Amino acid sequence: MPFPDESAPVTVVEHQPRWAEDFERLAGVLRGALGAEARAIDHIGSTSVPGLAAKDCVDVQVQVDALDVERHVGLLAAVGFRCRPEPWNREEVSGGLPCPKLVFAPPVDARRCNVHLREVGSPNARFALLFRDYLRSDTATRDAWGAFKKRLAHSVPDLSGYGQIKGPATQVLMAAAERWAADTGWQPVSGGHGHAEGR
């Protein structure tokens, strides 16, 4: 659930080139906060796909060797990021396996974003990279997904309802992504555009 300062109807807008720049700025802040513990920092989600309509909220994935709730919450709290407390922001099922995660909201009045901490090489980290790379590779699917999200946001502007409907549709999309991955030999590599190495 959003924090009180984040409450707003769901709005899906055309892709903005500045989203890539916003990611780079966020990645710099996260690198400063986490240091070498951030093994990889990637731009994920719909804002990471050029040409894809999206909510104006940048998603960032940080991969760490092992999640340490107390330590990682403290490090990011020191630069204003707020850990989302809901159970679904602490664990998710990916590839049939329960996977730990932590999700952070931005500092109050900062640029809207979600920061997802996941473990290096985990199924849920792979899922996020596959979603991004599949939609980057397939213009027709990208455009269809964007059109679906626009219609959904127009008819169901409540974030909870929007998410409940989008979730099953995402599973259908990802089944096609898995077929694409198998056909092309795709591997989840953090690198290239939308990536920042940990230092």
Side-chain angles (χ1 to χ4, degrees), residues 19 22-23 26 43 47 56-60 111-114:
W19 288 338
D22 292 343
F23 160 74
L26 283 165
H43 191 182
T47 62
D56 185 23
C57 180
V58 173
D59 283 287
V60 180
R111 200 258 179 269
R112 288 183 64 202
C113 68
N114 284 302

Side-chain angles (χ1 to χ4, degrees), residues 28-183:
V29 172
L30 294 167
R31 272 196 303 271
L34 295 168
E37 292 192 37
R39 294 283 302 279
I41 304 176
D42 283 282
H43 191 182
I44 60 165
S46 293
T47 62
S48 71
V49 180
L52 178 59
K55 299 191 302 294
D56 185 23
C57 180
V58 173
D59 283 287
V60 180
Q61 176 167 275
V62 182
Q63 293 187 61
V64 298
D65 285 323
L67 283 173
D68 181 327
V69 175
E70 184 175 353
R71 175 167 173 73
H72 290 136
V73 168
L75 288 172
L76 288 178
V79 291
F81 286 85
R82 299 165 286 171
C83 188
R84 298 194 184 276
E86 298 83 10
W88 59 87
N89 283 319
R90 298 300 182 95
E91 184 179 87
E92 59 196 344
V93 176
S94 189
L97 299 172
C99 301
K101 68 171 178 174
L102 293 172
V103 182
F104 295 83
V108 176
D109 295 329
R111 200 258 179 269
R112 288 183 64 202
C113 68
N114 284 302
V115 177
H116 307 258
L117 261 65
R118 297 181 172 118
E119 295 184 346
V120 172
S122 60
N124 52 342
R126 175 188 180 277
F127 182 100
L129 297 174
L130 175 57
F131 173 91
R132 180 194 70 190
D133 291 354
Y134 174 56
L135 287 176
R136 285 179 175 178
S137 78
D138 189 319
T139 301
T141 300
R142 178 201 71 191
D143 291 346
W145 185 246
F148 161 71
K149 291 198 307 171
K150 285 181 184 177
R151 290 193 303 271
L152 179 58
H154 181 73
S155 58
V156 187
D158 170 70
L159 182 62
S160 177
Y162 176 88
Q164 288 178 2
I165 295 171
K166 194 179 80 165
T170 302
Q171 294 302 318
V172 174
L173 175 73
M174 293 306 291
E178 290 290 0
R179 291 192 295 272
W180 170 80
D183 290 344

